[in-house]
Amino acid sequence: MLKKSLILLLFSLLFTVTAHAQFEDPDIQKVDRSERSAFQSMFAEINWTGQGLYNPTTIDRIPTIELRSRLQAVYGDPTQGIGDLINRNDYRPGKAVQFEYWFIIDEEIPMMVLDLDGPFENGLVYVGASQYIDLMPQVKRTFTRDLMQIGSDMQPFRDYFYSPERDQWYLVEYADGEFNHEPIDRPRSFN
């Protein structure tokens, strides 16, 4: 009887510790622009996937331009934007993005979030390490909660976006409480 009680107690403790760890909010740290090389080296061998990150949440129905403002409020400037990519030798117009945010989850799990089609779509594109797909739904729930809890306290931003389908450059911004995506000529700094 004592042995059975001890086993039951150990099982109960193990279940409690496992359940607590499984439902703990992940620690999401943004990778700054200056940390990109270290991130790329650290995760050079990672197999990237979107699995586990595409269960629909509130932010998947919100315009990307608004999400960019929410990202600015919660995480600050993007890890990189089109200005970081356009002058590279391997740049192709099909790789055009407005912004990319890179993250390290719980000090070991990489995740990237980027725009789908600049200011013209809803939601974001997510990729994470395939070996952690079972943790990604919780990561996305926490990420969603963090972006939504700011309410209407969005922050101004200014980005550039090139749409290869439209063969057009845009200035994309949130300023003075308004979202704009204005067609422009190619920025001089990108020549």
Side-chain angles (χ1 to χ4, degrees):
M1 183 73 164
L2 181 60
K3 185 177 180 181
K4 191 175 187 179
S5 294
L6 187 57
I7 290 172
L8 198 55
L9 179 63
L10 286 173
F11 178 73
S12 177
L13 280 171
L14 180 62
F15 177 76
T16 303
V17 169
T18 303
H20 178 71
Q22 187 176 15
F23 294 106
E24 226 175 85
D25 283 346
D27 177 42
I28 302 173
Q29 295 297 316
K30 187 195 86 168
V31 175
D32 288 325
R33 178 172 266 124
S34 64
E35 302 167 326
R36 288 179 300 171
S37 293
F39 178 92
Q40 290 170 321
S41 294
M42 179 185 275
F43 300 113
E45 302 301 318
I46 289 293
N47 291 321
W48 296 95
T49 184
Q51 284 187 317
L53 290 163
Y54 286 100
N55 297 327
T57 63
T58 304
I59 61 175
D60 297 316
R61 295 181 295 278
I62 293 176
T64 306
I65 195 169
E66 178 182 326
L67 292 174
R68 171 64 181 87
S69 180
R70 290 177 177 278
L71 284 160
Q72 186 71 35
V74 176
Y75 298 107
D77 293 334
T79 304
Q80 68 181 19
I82 194 165
D84 299 301
L85 303 171
I86 192 126
N87 293 321
R88 290 178 31 178
N89 291 336
D90 63 346
Y91 174 78
R92 293 187 326 266
K95 293 169 94 176
V97 296
Q98 179 184 324
F99 61 86
E100 294 181 8
Y101 281 84
W102 302 358
F103 300 97
I104 299 179
I105 315 300
D106 293 337
E107 299 181 9
E108 65 179 330
I109 303 168
M111 180 176 83
M112 292 189 220
V113 175
L114 51 138
D115 65 285
L116 186 60
D117 186 24
F120 301 106
E121 289 290 335
N122 292 338
L124 301 164
V125 174
Y126 308 87
V127 293
S130 61
Q131 68 198 63
Y132 296 107
I133 60 172
D134 58 322
L135 301 174
M136 289 300 129
Q138 178 62 24
V139 169
K140 187 173 179 188
R141 281 191 296 274
T142 300
F143 184 74
T144 297
R145 186 195 66 224
D146 291 348
L147 290 185
M148 295 309 295
Q149 75 183 3
I150 66 161
S152 62
D153 190 24
M154 293 177 276
Q155 293 296 304
F157 72 87
R158 175 179 257 203
D159 293 334
Y160 294 103
F161 175 67
Y162 175 71
S163 172
E165 295 82 13
R166 299 168 187 86
D167 191 26
Q168 179 64 58
W169 281 92
Y170 295 88
L171 172 63
V172 183
E173 64 182 348
Y174 178 65
D176 301 322
E178 300 219 5
F179 294 103
N180 297 301
H181 52 84
E182 174 186 339
I184 59 170
D185 291 333
R186 180 182 176 128
R188 288 186 183 138
S189 60
F190 296 167
N191 289 327

